[in-house]
Amino acid sequence: MFWFRNLSKFSTTTTLPRSKTTLLSPRFTFLISRFTTATETPVSGSTGLAPHAGLAPTKPHEKPRVVVLGTGWAGCRLMKGLDTAIYDIVCVSPRNHMVFTPLLASTCVGTLEFRSVAEPIARIQPAISREPGSYFFLANCTGVDVDKHEVQCETVTEGTQALDPWKFSIAYDKLVIALGAQPTTFGIHGVLEHAIFLREVYHAQEIRRKLLLNLMMSDVPGIGEEEKKRLLHCVVVGGGPTGVEFSGELSDFIMRDVRQRYSHVKDYIHVTLIEANEILSSFDVRLRRYATKQLTKSGVRLVRGIVKDVDDQKIILNDGTEVPYGLLVWSTGVGPSSVVSSWDLPKSPGGRIGIDEWLRVPSVQDVYAIGDCSGFVESTGKPILPALAQVAERQGKYLASLLNKVGKANGGRANSAIDIELGDPFVYKHLGSMATVGSYKALVDLRESKEGKGVALAGFVSWFIWRSAYLTRVISWRNRFYVAINWATTFVFGRDISRI
C-alpha cells in the first residue's frame, strides 16, 4: 500500500491554479507561441491567445514549406513522395486518414472492417509527426491569398462538448490544392436530406447502421406488410462502378447472411439500382451485358429512369413512378465543391481549378492543383481527366517528383522557381478499370479507351484479379494484412452483422 499512500499524499498536497489558462498544456502553449507571428498580440479571454495565430513565412535558415490541402489519393501520394530533407510539409484536412475508396463498399455489409480501408496520414508521411517544421492540422481551408502566399483555415470540432472553431493562417512557399470533389445531386430536392453518399468511412458506417436497423425493425410485431417491404427496400441511384459494386456486395449479403440470420424477413428484402442510361458506361459492351445479367441473377432489380424528387420514404422518377425505400444510397458521380468554386482562381471547363501541363495553376505563382478538384484549362488543348483514383495518384506522384526537382535547383522558396526548367509535362495513360458485381464475379477492362483494343475479362478469374490487384494497392502492409484476414474470416464465418 506504499504506492497508494504516496498517491493520496500527492492528491492532497498538489493543488492546481484556478486560472483557466492552465487548461493548456505547456507543450501546446509553446506551439501556439511559436505559431503566432510577431505582429499579433494576445487577447483577454479563457486562453489568452491571439485571435488569428498561424505559421509565419519561413526564414532563410528554415526549409521551404509545402502546404497540402486534402488527404485523398492525390494529396497523400504527393506527401509520400516529397523529399523531407528539402521541404517541411504542412497538411490541412478535415480527416486525418486516407480512405482506400475501391474497397469502401465492402465495409457497409461487414465484408471488411472500417479500419482496413483507412490509412493514418502519419503512416503515409511520418515526417508530419516527427519533423519540427512539419504538421497536420485537422481543419478546413476557408480561403487562399495568393498575393500574400497564405491560406486561411478553421479547425474542425464536433461532439456535444466541442470547442469553438479556431481560425488561423499558414504561410506557404508552395501550395498544393488536392481537395477532391463532392457528390453531384443535380439540384434534386431532398437528396442531401435523405440520401446517403458513399465517399467517406462515416458514410459507410451510416449505411451499415441504417441497413441493420431496418432489418431488426422489420421483425418487430405489428409492422405491416407494406412497411416491411419499404424498410427492406434498398435503392441505389447511379450505375457507375461505385453503385454497381455496392449493389453486388449488398446482394451477396442478402443471399449469404440475411437469408440465414433474418429468416423471418428474408423474402421482403431486395435491391433496386436506378440509372438514367447504361450501367458501367465506361466498360466494354460485352462486359456491361455480363454485369446486367449477373446483377439480375443475384436479385438486383435494374430500373432505367431519372430521379425527379426525393422524400423521406420514397423517391419519384420523371415518369411519375413512386419508389418506396428504407435505405437510399446516392452514387451519381462528383463535381467541384462549393469551396473550390468560390475561390478566385482560373477554372477549367466544368468548374474545376484550372491547371497547365505541369499541374500549375496559370497566372498564379507557386500554386498547384491535383486530383478531382483540378482540370486542364482550354488553352492546353487537353481533355478533362476522369475523377478516378488512378488519375489522382499519378498526378500526386508526378508533382512530388517535380517539386523535389525544383527544390534541388534552389527553387523551393516562394517566387523562386520562375526560371527553372520543369522537364516533361504530365501525361496520363489509362491502365483500365475493374469492378465487382458480386457472387465471386467481377469485370476487368484493360483497354486505354472505349474504342481501343485490349484485354476484357469477366467472371471468377476477373474477380480473383480484382481482389489481387486491390490487395497490392492498399497503402501499408498493416492494412494489407487486415484486408486479407477480413476476407478469410468472412469466407469461413460469414459477415459480421453486429450493429455497433
Side-chain angles (χ1 to χ4, degrees):
M1 299 298 291
F2 174 76
W3 62 272
F4 182 76
R5 288 195 298 271
N6 285 344
L7 180 63
S8 301
K9 180 179 179 181
F10 176 80
S11 62
T12 56
T13 58
T14 304
T15 306
L16 295 175
R18 297 186 63 83
S19 171
K20 293 184 179 180
T21 59
T22 58
L23 294 174
L24 297 175
S25 68
R27 173 177 171 80
F28 184 77
T29 305
F30 166 75
L31 290 175
I32 291 295
S33 65
R34 178 181 179 183
F35 293 165
T36 307
T37 60
T39 58
E40 294 165 339
T41 56
V43 296
S44 59
S46 61
T47 62
L49 299 177
H52 295 285
L55 289 175
T58 55
K59 296 178 174 57
H61 66 278
E62 297 175 334
K63 290 184 288 187
R65 179 184 301 138
V66 176
V67 175
V68 182
L69 306 180
T71 52
W73 282 85
C76 289
R77 186 59 185 86
L78 168 80
M79 289 187 285
K80 182 179 180 180
L82 281 175
D83 188 346
T84 55
I86 300 175
Y87 295 105
D88 282 331
I89 304 172
V90 175
C91 180
V92 178
S93 176
R95 69 182 189 195
N96 69 341
H97 58 273
M98 172 192 166
V99 180
F100 193 81
T101 48
L103 296 178
L104 189 59
S106 298
T107 65
C108 300
V109 295
T111 305
L112 295 177
E113 292 298 322
F114 297 111
R115 65 177 179 177
S116 301
V117 300
E119 190 69 41
I121 300 304
R123 289 183 180 270
I124 296 174
Q125 180 46 268
I128 283 180
S129 58
R130 297 176 184 174
E131 296 293 327
S134 297
Y135 304 95
F136 171 80
F137 297 127
L138 193 72
N140 286 310
C141 178
T142 57
V144 178
D145 191 329
V146 296
D147 296 324
K148 293 183 179 179
H149 274 58
E150 186 178 88
V151 294
Q152 292 82 40
C153 306
E154 185 176 88
T155 57
V156 175
T157 58
E158 57 186 14
T160 55
Q161 298 180 348
L163 300 172
D164 292 333
W166 185 263
K167 296 181 179 181
F168 60 97
S169 61
I170 305 172
Y172 64 83
D173 292 292
K174 308 294 180 190
L175 173 64
V176 181
I177 304 173
L179 291 173
Q182 67 181 15
T184 53
T185 63
F186 305 103
I188 299 173
H189 171 265
V191 174
L192 293 176
E193 293 80 6
H194 307 301
I196 306 176
F197 305 106
L198 187 53
R199 293 187 53 85
E200 303 286 349
V201 171
Y202 67 85
H203 290 151
Q205 292 173 329
E206 186 177 357
I207 290 172
R208 180 179 173 83
R209 284 194 294 265
K210 182 80 170 179
L211 176 62
L212 293 177
L213 176 63
N214 288 351
L215 276 168
M216 290 181 281
M217 289 296 294
S218 65
D219 209 12
V220 173
I223 299 294
E225 294 285 315
E226 291 301 317
E227 182 64 7
K228 277 188 179 183
K229 291 179 180 178
R230 184 193 70 81
L231 284 172
L232 297 178
H233 188 198
C234 305
V235 177
V236 182
V237 179
T242 301
V244 169
E245 289 189 336
F246 175 71
S247 299
E249 287 281 356
L250 196 52
S251 65
D252 274 359
F253 175 62
I254 293 170
M255 295 176 66
R256 290 179 169 79
D257 298 272
V258 172
R259 294 188 184 280
Q260 293 182 10
R261 307 180 193 185
Y262 292 94
S263 57
H264 297 112
V265 295
K266 64 181 181 179
D267 296 327
Y268 294 92
I269 186 168
H270 59 284
V271 183
T272 297
L273 175 60
I274 300 176
E275 168 57 40
N277 300 301
E278 293 282 345
I279 66 170
L280 300 174
S281 57
S282 62
F283 283 72
D284 179 79
V285 176
R286 183 175 61 86
L287 296 184
R288 293 204 303 266
R289 291 173 182 165
Y290 180 88
T292 301
K293 179 181 177 181
Q294 188 61 41
L295 289 172
T296 304
K297 183 179 178 181
S298 300
V300 178
R301 180 187 173 210
L302 301 179
V303 175
R304 181 174 292 187
I306 299 175
V307 178
K308 180 181 178 181
D309 197 12
V310 177
D311 291 336
D312 59 343
Q313 295 186 359
K314 65 182 179 181
I315 62 175
I316 302 172
L317 303 183
N318 59 337
D319 61 358
T321 303
E322 295 185 353
V323 183
Y325 69 87
L327 172 67
L328 176 61
V329 177
W330 195 269
S331 177
T332 57
V334 296
S337 66
S338 57
V339 174
V340 166
S341 299
S342 66
W343 288 350
D344 187 19
L345 294 173
K347 296 295 194 298
S348 69
R352 299 185 186 186
I353 297 176
I355 55 175
D356 64 11
E357 295 94 328
W358 292 272
L359 311 184
R360 300 174 299 183
V361 179
S363 71
V364 179
Q365 286 293 322
D366 301 318
V367 179
Y368 305 80
I370 54 178
D372 296 350
C373 70
S374 66
F376 291 115
V377 293
E378 287 185 289
S379 60
T380 63
K382 292 189 173 185
I384 303 299
L385 296 176
L388 298 174
Q390 59 176 299
V391 175
E393 184 182 31
R394 262 180 282 169
Q395 284 184 332
K397 182 179 180 180
Y398 170 85
L399 187 55
S401 177
L402 181 78
L403 290 178
N404 290 339
K405 179 179 179 180
V406 169
K408 291 176 182 178
N410 297 321
R413 298 286 174 189
N415 301 312
S416 63
I418 299 176
D419 299 325
I420 294 177
E421 179 63 35
L422 298 180
D424 296 332
F426 174 77
V427 177
Y428 172 69
K429 182 179 179 181
H430 188 61
L431 297 179
S433 304
M434 293 185 291
T436 178
V437 291
S439 300
Y440 304 109
K441 304 292 192 303
L443 314 176
V444 174
D445 192 348
L446 302 182
R447 300 171 304 152
E448 290 187 25
S449 65
K450 292 177 65 174
E451 297 77 20
K453 296 181 179 179
V455 179
L457 302 174
F460 177 78
V461 174
S462 298
W463 175 84
F464 182 80
I465 295 173
W466 174 83
R467 280 207 166 181
S468 301
Y470 282 150
L471 186 62
T472 60
R473 299 303 298 165
V474 173
I475 299 296
S476 68
W477 282 104
R478 163 185 171 270
N479 276 22
R480 290 174 194 169
F481 178 77
Y482 282 155
V483 170
I485 292 298
N486 288 165
W487 279 340
T489 303
T490 300
F491 180 78
V492 175
F493 301 107
R495 293 168 178 82
D496 180 19
I497 59 172
S498 302
R499 187 175 184 270
I500 300 175

